[in-house]
């Protein structure tokens, strides 16, 4: 089925096919993200109004909505244009007034004939203790009473879209739905007491009261589950495709690993050992590995990656490791080379700066297998880069490497195993949403002997004190990063800020003691600056956020972050992770410009409270919402209309298991439930998934 099933056509036609919606309203709807009738189905009310019939206005709370039967009484036309038109109405117990501003007298006379009975519904206000209802929302004859819903849903609006249009359109779209074959596992559905799809849709748009609006209402849960299930099915299809594609069975004899481990000044942590074992066993199987290594900053992911790369080499093949920046790639080379060469392993680097003959030579060496391990930037994935026998691709620090890109990499067809590493701890629910297609290894332990980082915040007015403190620190042999503020996302402006601070600190701390690195520097200059700092020639490194990820200089024990309030939580956590890597006590100083916003205050105080990346990630998620935390567009994560990643992590997990299970039972989605699931994928616009089935 590579085209949309007909049963869904009416839901994907243009909005203008709905009664009363023209170009203008359709445009306005786009402001709510509603582009097709289908979208209206999943655009759920956020609140509701109780319109149950009452006997009287007596005893009602001000500003609440009242629905009541009344007899129309006297009319009081206004004495001047600026005053309202008033009409007495008598309910079962008392008299109050309905009020109209800028009213047409003739129209009112016709619609509110004295002595007749009407049912009116609207908001009650009190003026000088007298109740009134301005512009009733409903005015009906008593025989039309049924037209008022007892509980009326309220939807978010934008200019040009009224509640009435939404209610009416939703109703019309509901009429276009059909009962669809069930894609949810019958046992699950029964256990959770979830309604059928179509029933659920009707029910979420016709709540009986506030309980029906809660995310725990069965109908809402079911629809949330549908979204998660469709997403997990996409991920599971991608995963299945990778696993089905032939992998290479790479098993080493442990010779190189052993040599490297013996030369290390430390022992791997238990978490590292476990991750290495998981990866080694994946690589030994002839299924293609697709694994995520997640570990907080400083947890030692690099060693795990090296061990995996050595397996590739031990088994006679090659490995590649891609880093997001040239600085990181050089660092990997520096770290790996001495260890590897000891064991007879050849490591090279390839980045965008390799040009001409040198590049040719590297490419040739790679192709004939003379280079065993290649590290580099994204340049290593270019078409012209060919390997003799690539067995493992490691992608380091790619927290912004989304589902879509991963699928593309997978589609490249190489049989190489894939290991993705991320330092951004993300809450479980997001992890499942973003990495549900992968198997996950977690480094939940840091190397021993690390001292907690002391984190303090202070206003930037105390900068001179900070510089003084820094002078003492470097005199006693310490090293420090000085991170300059982010300026409006502009690298050029960042650079200016960094250069100014560089000059200032050089003047204060001595020319030779201070280095500078930022994104605008020539690659060679970056290398020199990093190398000088690494070797301890410079004591203070002034930097922009280019050092945010991965940079590892264990001797550095101080980090000063200027205008810390401008950074996001995750970023601050990453930056702070540059220190605390050795056994010395480290310090992080967060300099801010008062006054702090509420969110700024909260971010800085969480950072002072904890170093636990997972805890920080949870708070980040709470403060910013899921889309911002992973960057929805980049991550390829769909926008969930009903599902709530923050509060429905459990559902996401169930969806993942169920999706994987369904594919195990019915890999091509051709069975009854499989077919139903295809319809769901179309309904949820999971085009990628559909492509995966149609190709596969
Ligand atoms: P990240 O997970 O942030 O990439 P790294 O791999 O850069 O962390 O490791 C952080 C630091 O910890 C490095 O200096 C590394 O040499 C050191 N390290 C790694 N594993 C261990 C270990 N088992 N014991 C002691 N130090 C370790
Ligand atoms: Mg790293």
């Amino acid at each position: 089925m590579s085209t949309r099933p007909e049963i869904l056509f009416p839901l994907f036609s243009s909005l203008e096919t709905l009664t009363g919606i023209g170009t203008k309203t359709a445009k306005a709807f786009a402001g709510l993200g509603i582009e097709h009738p289908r979208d209206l189905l999943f655009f759920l009310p956020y609140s509701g109004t109780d319109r149950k019939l009452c006997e009287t206005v007596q005893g009602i709370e001000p500003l609440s909505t009242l629905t009541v039967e009344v007899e129309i009484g006297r009319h009081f036309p206004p004495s001047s244009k600026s005053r309202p038109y008033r009409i007495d109405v008598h309910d079962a117990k008392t008299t109050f007034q309905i009020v109209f501003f800028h009213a047409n007298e003739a129209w009112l006379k016709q619609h509110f004939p004295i002595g007749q009975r009407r049912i009116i519904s609207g908001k009650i206000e009190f003026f000088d203790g007298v109740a009134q209802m301005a512009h009733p929302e409903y005015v009906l004859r008593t025989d039309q009473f049924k037209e008022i819903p007892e509980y009326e849903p309220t939807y978010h609006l934008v200019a040009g879209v009224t509640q009435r249009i939404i209610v009416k359109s939703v109703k019309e779209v509901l009429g276009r739905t059909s009962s669809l074959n069930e894609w949810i596992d019958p046992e699950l559905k029964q256990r959770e007491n979830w309604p059928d799809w179509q029933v659920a849709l009707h029910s979420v748009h016709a709540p009986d009261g506030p309980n029906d609006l809660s995310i725990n209402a069965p109908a809402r849960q079911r629809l949330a589950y549908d979204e998660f299930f469709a997403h997990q099915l996409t991920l599971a299809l991608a995963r299945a495709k990778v696993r089905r594609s032939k992998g290479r069975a790479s098993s080493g004899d442990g010779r190189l690993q052993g040599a490297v481990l013996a030369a290390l000044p430390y022992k791997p942590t238990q978490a590292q050992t476990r991750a290495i074992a998981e990866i080694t066993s994946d690589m030994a199987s002839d299924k293609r590995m697709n694994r995520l290594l997640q570990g907080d900053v400083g947890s030692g992911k690099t060693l795990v990656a090296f061990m995996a790369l050595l397996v590739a080499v031990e088994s006679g093949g090659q490995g590649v490791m891609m880093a997001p920046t040239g600085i990181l790639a050089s660092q990997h080379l520096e770290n790996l080379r001495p260890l590897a060469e000891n064991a007879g392993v050849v490591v090279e680097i390839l980045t965008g700066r390799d040009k001409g003959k040198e590049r040719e030579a590297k490419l040739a060496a790679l192709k004939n297998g003379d280079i065993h391990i290649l590290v580099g930037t994204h340049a290593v994935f270019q078409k012209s880069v060919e390997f003799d026998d690539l067995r493992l691709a490691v992608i380091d620090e790619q927290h912004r490497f989304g589902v879509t890109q991963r699928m593309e990499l997978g589609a490249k067809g190489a049989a190489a195993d894939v290991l993705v590493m991320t330092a951004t701890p993300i809450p479980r629910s997001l992890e499942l949403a973003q990495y549900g297609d992968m198997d996950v290894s977690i480094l939940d332990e840091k190397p021993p002997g690390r001292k907690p980082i002391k984190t303090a915040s202070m206003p930037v007015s105390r900068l001179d004190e900070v510089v003084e403190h820094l002078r003492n620190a470097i005199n006693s042999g310490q090293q420090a990063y000085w991170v300059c503020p982010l300026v409006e996302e502009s690298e050029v402006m960042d650079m200016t800020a960094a250069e100014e601070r560089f000059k200032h600190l050089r003047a204060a701390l001595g020319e030779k003691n201070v280095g500078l690195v930022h994104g605008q520097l020539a690659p060679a200059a970056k290398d020199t600056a990093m190398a000088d700092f690494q070797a301890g020639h410079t004591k203070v490194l002034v930097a922009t956020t280019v050092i945010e990820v991965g940079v590892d200089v264990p001797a550095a024990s101080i980090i000063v972050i200027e205008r810390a309030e401008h950074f996001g939580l995750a970023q601050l956590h990453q930056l702070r992770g540059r220190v605390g890597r050795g056994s010395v006590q480290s310090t992080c100083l967060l300099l801010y410009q008062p006054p702090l916003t509420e969110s700024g205050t909260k971010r800085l105080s969480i950072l002072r409270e904890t170093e636990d990346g997972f805890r920080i990630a949870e708070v980040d998620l709470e403060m910013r919402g899921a889309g911002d935390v992973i960057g929805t567009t980049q991550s390829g994560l769909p926008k969930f209309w009903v599902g709530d990643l923050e509060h429905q992590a459990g559902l996401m997990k169930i969806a993942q298991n169920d999706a994987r299970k369904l594919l195990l039972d019915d890999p091509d989605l051709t069975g009854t439930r499989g077919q139903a699931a295809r319809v769901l994928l179309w309904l949820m616009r999971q085009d990628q998934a559909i492509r995966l089935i149609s190709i596969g």
Side-chain angles (χ1 to χ4, degrees):
M1 181 175 19
S2 48
T3 55
R4 183 180 292 135
E6 252 171 71
I7 198 164
L8 299 180
F9 283 4
L11 301 179
F12 283 90
S13 60
S14 98
L15 274 183
E16 289 162 47
T17 59
L18 295 170
T19 321
I21 297 191
T23 330
K24 225 167 112 194
T25 315
K27 264 220 185 98
F29 263 121
L32 292 167
I34 296 172
E35 287 170 354
H36 292 107
R38 169 235 178 255
D39 301 327
L40 279 159
L41 294 175
F42 302 107
F43 186 70
L44 304 194
Y46 70 95
S47 166
T49 309
D50 186 351
R51 294 197 194 274
K52 261 195 272 337
L53 189 63
C54 295
E55 210 188 350
T56 174
V57 70
Q58 263 179 16
I60 198 138
E61 293 286 318
L63 294 179
S64 55
T65 297
L66 171 74
T67 306
V68 67
E69 183 175 336
V70 293
E71 186 187 310
I72 310 292
R74 274 183 68 189
H75 286 225
F76 302 92
S79 52
S80 83
K81 269 218 155 157
S82 61
R83 320 199 110 248
Y85 191 108
R86 300 173 167 279
I87 304 173
D88 273 349
V89 291
H90 314 288
D91 68 24
K93 296 209 165 141
T94 184
T95 298
F96 63 101
Q97 287 191 323
I98 50 180
V99 176
F100 296 87
F101 294 87
H102 312 291
N104 175 320
E105 190 167 337
W107 187 88
L108 288 172
K109 287 236 156 83
Q110 189 196 338
H111 282 81
F112 295 92
I114 298 178
Q116 295 221 1
R117 305 197 69 80
R118 290 287 184 271
I119 290 173
I120 59 173
S121 183
K123 202 174 266 174
I124 294 293
E125 291 164 305
F126 287 86
F127 261 101
D128 296 332
V130 182
Q132 65 174 45
M133 181 188 290
H135 299 267
E137 290 147 32
Y138 287 89
V139 178
L140 298 171
R141 292 191 313 271
T142 48
D143 59 321
Q144 295 169 308
F145 169 60
K146 285 233 172 71
E147 287 174 30
I148 304 184
E150 286 204 348
Y151 189 78
E152 188 176 58
T154 320
Y155 296 87
H156 285 293
L157 302 177
V158 286
V161 178
T162 62
Q163 293 294 342
R164 283 221 175 154
I165 298 182
I166 294 191
V167 168
K168 211 167 91 359
S169 312
V170 164
K171 207 166 163 198
E172 192 173 337
V173 180
L174 282 171
R176 291 185 179 190
T177 59
S178 313
S179 134
L180 300 178
N181 287 334
E182 189 55 81
W183 47 78
I184 298 181
D185 171 38
E187 252 172 58
L188 171 65
K189 189 177 167 207
Q190 200 184 9
R191 191 181 71 219
E192 299 292 332
N193 205 8
W194 285 337
D196 285 344
W197 178 71
Q198 204 186 16
V199 174
L201 285 173
H202 276 93
S203 130
V204 292
H205 289 287
D208 279 337
N211 282 346
D212 286 350
L213 297 168
S214 128
I215 60 169
N216 297 322
R220 284 200 175 223
Q221 267 201 355
R222 190 238 140 93
L223 297 179
Y225 183 79
D226 288 347
E227 285 184 318
F228 291 169
F229 186 56
H231 177 59
Q232 287 298 338
L233 208 49
T234 306
L235 295 176
L237 280 163
R239 176 173 181 265
K241 184 164 163 56
V242 170
R243 304 191 116 217
R244 249 204 320 256
S245 63
K246 256 215 227 94
R248 305 285 311 275
S250 305
S251 44
D253 50 13
R255 184 175 43 91
L256 300 175
Q257 283 195 343
V260 168
L261 285 178
L264 280 179
Y266 51 76
K267 275 221 201 75
T269 61
Q270 277 181 18
Q272 284 170 321
T273 306
R274 191 177 55 230
I276 293 168
E278 284 165 354
I279 292 164
T280 310
S281 115
D282 269 10
M283 289 179 71
S285 114
D286 63 359
K287 297 229 168 67
R288 205 168 155 197
M289 174 170 79
N290 189 25
R291 188 168 277 278
L292 173 73
L293 177 62
Q294 201 190 349
D296 206 349
V297 277
S299 58
K301 292 181 290 297
T302 322
L303 177 68
V304 176
F306 286 174
M307 290 298 126
L309 289 164
L310 291 175
V311 172
V313 181
E314 281 176 10
S315 54
Q318 295 165 296
V320 59
M321 171 132 120
M322 184 183 84
T325 64
I327 290 180
L328 265 195
S330 317
Q331 178 184 295
H332 285 327
L333 181 76
E334 302 298 316
N335 289 341
L336 185 53
R337 206 175 228 170
L339 292 170
E341 278 177 355
N342 235 353
V345 175
V346 181
V347 187
E348 239 332 324
I349 185 167
L350 185 77
T351 66
R353 37 177 137 145
D354 286 293
K355 301 256 150 63
K357 284 226 173 86
E358 216 175 310
R359 182 181 144 91
E360 296 296 308
K362 281 185 188 176
L363 291 183
L366 199 61
K367 199 169 171 186
N368 64 30
D370 289 345
I371 295 173
H372 300 126
I373 296 176
L374 184 70
V375 299
T377 53
H378 58 270
V380 299
F381 283 134
Q382 281 163 0
K383 260 219 177 87
S384 52
V385 180
E386 290 176 70
F387 292 82
D388 173 43
D389 180 15
L390 179 64
R391 285 169 178 259
L392 173 68
V394 180
I395 299 160
D396 186 23
E397 301 287 2
Q398 275 297 4
H399 36 285
R400 295 193 185 91
F401 199 72
V403 174
T404 323
Q405 288 152 297
R406 271 206 311 280
M407 284 186 186
E408 279 165 8
L409 180 68
K412 274 204 165 148
D417 289 323
V418 175
L419 178 67
V420 174
M421 306 204 283
T422 173
T424 317
I426 49 179
R428 187 80 183 125
S429 56
L430 293 193
E431 177 191 305
L432 287 170
Q434 202 186 8
Y435 297 112
D437 58 328
M438 312 186 85
D439 299 304
V440 181
S441 294
I442 294 180
L443 296 184
D444 50 7
E445 173 190 8
K446 292 212 174 152
R450 301 263 170 93
K451 294 208 177 65
I453 303 171
K454 271 194 204 149
T455 302
S457 61
M458 54 185 66
V460 68
S461 55
R462 290 174 59 188
L463 193 112
D464 289 345
E465 268 174 66
V466 174
V467 175
E468 251 345 277
H469 173 82
L470 213 53
R471 187 201 315 282
N472 294 332
I474 64 178
N475 284 340
S476 66
Q478 298 189 60
Q479 282 184 277
Y481 296 98
W482 186 295
V483 182
C484 292
L486 266 185
V487 189
E488 314 249 307
E489 308 266 315
S490 142
E491 276 192 31
V492 180
M493 305 256 287
D494 283 358
M495 175 188 71
T496 321
E499 272 173 352
E500 300 251 296
R501 184 58 70 214
F502 173 60
K503 273 189 217 147
H504 170 200
L505 289 179
R506 281 188 113 177
L509 302 172
E511 297 260 314
K512 278 194 300 199
N513 285 330
V514 186
L516 171 69
V517 65
H518 57 67
Q520 303 285 301
L521 284 182
K526 272 188 220 166
D527 281 357
T528 314
M530 289 309 301
D532 284 347
F533 187 60
Q534 181 100 49
H537 299 325
T538 47
K539 307 296 180 205
V540 176
L541 183 65
V542 179
T544 55
T545 50
V546 290
I547 61 148
E548 176 184 339
V549 290
V551 168
D552 182 41
V553 181
S557 57
I558 300 172
I559 186 164
V560 179
I561 305 175
E562 261 190 82
R563 298 303 296 264
E565 77 276 15
H566 281 194
F567 295 97
L569 256 185
Q571 208 172 14
L572 288 170
H573 177 63
Q574 288 294 327
L575 284 168
R576 179 171 60 180
R578 295 312 116 217
V579 299
R581 294 175 161 247
S583 48
V584 250
Q585 169 73 60
S586 292
T587 313
C588 170
L589 281 181
L590 306 167
L591 296 183
Y592 63 87
Q593 177 83 61
L596 280 177
T597 60
E598 196 185 319
S599 132
T601 310
K602 182 150 184 207
R603 271 178 283 143
L604 299 193
S605 73
I606 288 297
L607 230 61
R608 284 200 309 270
E609 253 167 53
T610 181
E611 262 185 74
D612 177 350
F614 283 94
R615 165 105 182 82
I616 290 172
E618 298 279 357
V619 176
D620 200 23
L621 177 63
E622 246 166 61
M623 290 179 69
R624 289 198 296 154
D628 285 330
V629 172
I630 351 190
T632 310
T633 36
Q634 285 168 338
S635 66
L637 197 65
K639 176 178 159 211
F640 297 114
W641 289 58
V642 185
D644 176 347
L645 279 179
E646 277 113 289
H647 300 105
Q648 295 182 310
L651 273 190
M652 185 62 96
K653 181 69 198 161
I654 299 174
Q656 184 191 46
N657 289 338
D658 196 23
R660 288 185 178 186
K661 182 163 175 303
L662 176 61
L663 284 189
L664 213 59
D665 299 344
D666 182 5
D668 300 314
L669 298 183
T670 47
T672 320
R673 214 187 131 203
Q675 297 276 1
R678 284 173 179 243
V679 175
L680 172 71
L681 290 173
W682 279 107
L683 180 68
M684 295 302 174
R685 296 202 181 92
Q686 294 290 309
D687 304 15
Q688 283 169 344
I690 290 152
R691 249 182 280 132
L692 284 170
I693 344 180
S694 9
I695 302 166

